[in-house]
Amino acid sequence: MKLIEKYFPQLTDEQHGQLAALDELYHEWNEKINVISRKDIDNLYEHHVLHSMAIARMINFRPGTRILDFGTGGGFPGIPLAILFPECQFKLIDGTGKKIRVAQEVATAIGLKNCAPVHLRGEEEKEKFDFVVSRAVMPLPDLMKIVRKNIDQKHQQNALPNGIICLKGGNIEGEVHPFRRLVQAQALSDWFAEEWFKEKYCIYLPI
């Protein structure tokens, strides 16, 4: 938690408590349903929670914003973002029912009222959202094909136009190339000093 406080010092007591509870909850659930690599679970706050919260450095979602977390797995980036933005609405979807169960149980345990984890594939999602967020789910062109239908293009309420925000690592040149005139790619190492964030990016693509 010290790492989270280092970069997000303005947390309310409730947000602090919700984030602090994630460690025990994910350790407990990961023993039953493997949603995080067993080698990686002890790096929960750096590799998963803070990584998810990087999206909050790209955009400060305004109250009432609707966000779809595509391929959430056990709840990333959706649960940390729902904690940070209690006045926004988050729908978390994943095609693997066991993983969604973990996200549901964690959200319930910490009292998240603005977060709805649902067992659903992206192709089946029909609702409209202001933003779609994801974390290393699939190449950007493939993601774009599936979620373009889910972006509300009529109502804008944020500083950035509605679109896709995804977290990626490694060489991203190939997948951002088709959108090079539109896409914004931000190196996470500009925001976070830890070695792990090198060669990791937050990518924004307006729709």
Side-chain angles (χ1 to χ4, degrees):
M1 272 301 295
K2 287 182 180 177
L3 185 62
I4 304 301
E5 292 162 4
K6 173 181 173 183
Y7 292 109
F8 292 89
Q10 309 302 326
L11 296 171
T12 65
D13 288 346
E14 182 177 20
Q15 288 169 325
H16 190 281
Q18 288 172 323
L19 287 164
L22 296 181
D23 187 46
E24 184 177 346
L25 285 165
Y26 275 108
H27 271 84
E28 182 182 313
W29 275 103
N30 215 50
E31 288 295 320
K32 305 171 191 173
I33 299 170
N34 192 20
V35 291
I36 295 170
S37 160
R38 294 262 153 77
K39 295 177 182 175
D40 206 31
I41 187 69
D42 290 334
N43 298 310
L44 178 75
Y45 284 107
E46 183 176 336
H47 295 184
H48 301 278
V49 179
L50 183 59
H51 189 215
S52 297
M53 293 165 74
I55 289 172
R57 289 293 182 94
M58 177 68 82
I59 181 171
N60 184 21
F61 293 120
R62 290 181 180 155
T65 302
R66 295 154 300 144
I67 300 116
L68 175 68
D69 178 0
F70 178 94
T72 188
F76 300 102
I79 286 178
L81 291 175
I83 293 170
L84 274 186
F85 297 103
E87 295 181 356
C88 299
Q89 294 300 316
F90 290 82
K91 184 174 183 178
L92 283 52
I93 65 170
D94 199 280
T96 304
K98 289 191 296 184
K99 292 181 178 180
I100 278 293
R101 186 185 169 207
V102 174
Q104 289 168 335
E105 295 286 351
V106 169
T108 299
I110 63 174
L112 271 186
K113 301 286 192 286
N114 62 330
C115 175
V118 179
H119 181 203
L120 195 67
R121 294 175 69 245
E123 292 84 353
E124 300 165 330
E125 178 58 74
K126 301 291 192 287
E127 292 182 54
K128 296 282 188 185
F129 301 87
D130 300 305
F131 290 91
V132 173
V133 299
S134 78
R135 201 170 75 118
V137 172
M138 61 176 63
L140 189 56
D142 298 337
L143 180 64
M144 174 78 158
K145 285 176 190 171
I146 296 173
V147 303
R148 181 194 283 273
K149 70 186 186 310
N150 302 113
I151 303 290
D152 185 344
Q153 298 183 17
K154 294 180 181 176
H155 307 99
Q156 305 284 343
Q157 57 179 324
N158 285 275
L160 293 178
N162 295 354
I164 298 170
I165 305 173
C166 53
L167 296 162
K168 295 277 183 180
N171 188 344
I172 59 170
E173 287 299 317
E175 55 183 298
V176 302
H177 184 74
F179 314 107
R180 60 193 177 281
R181 293 180 183 174
L182 292 171
V183 77
Q184 292 179 32
Q186 174 67 50
L188 299 194
S189 57
D190 290 347
W191 293 333
F192 307 136
E194 286 70 24
E195 184 77 17
W196 188 79
F197 290 102
K198 288 187 175 178
E199 295 189 1
K200 290 186 170 58
Y201 303 90
C202 186
I203 296 171
Y204 162 64
L205 177 64
I207 303 297

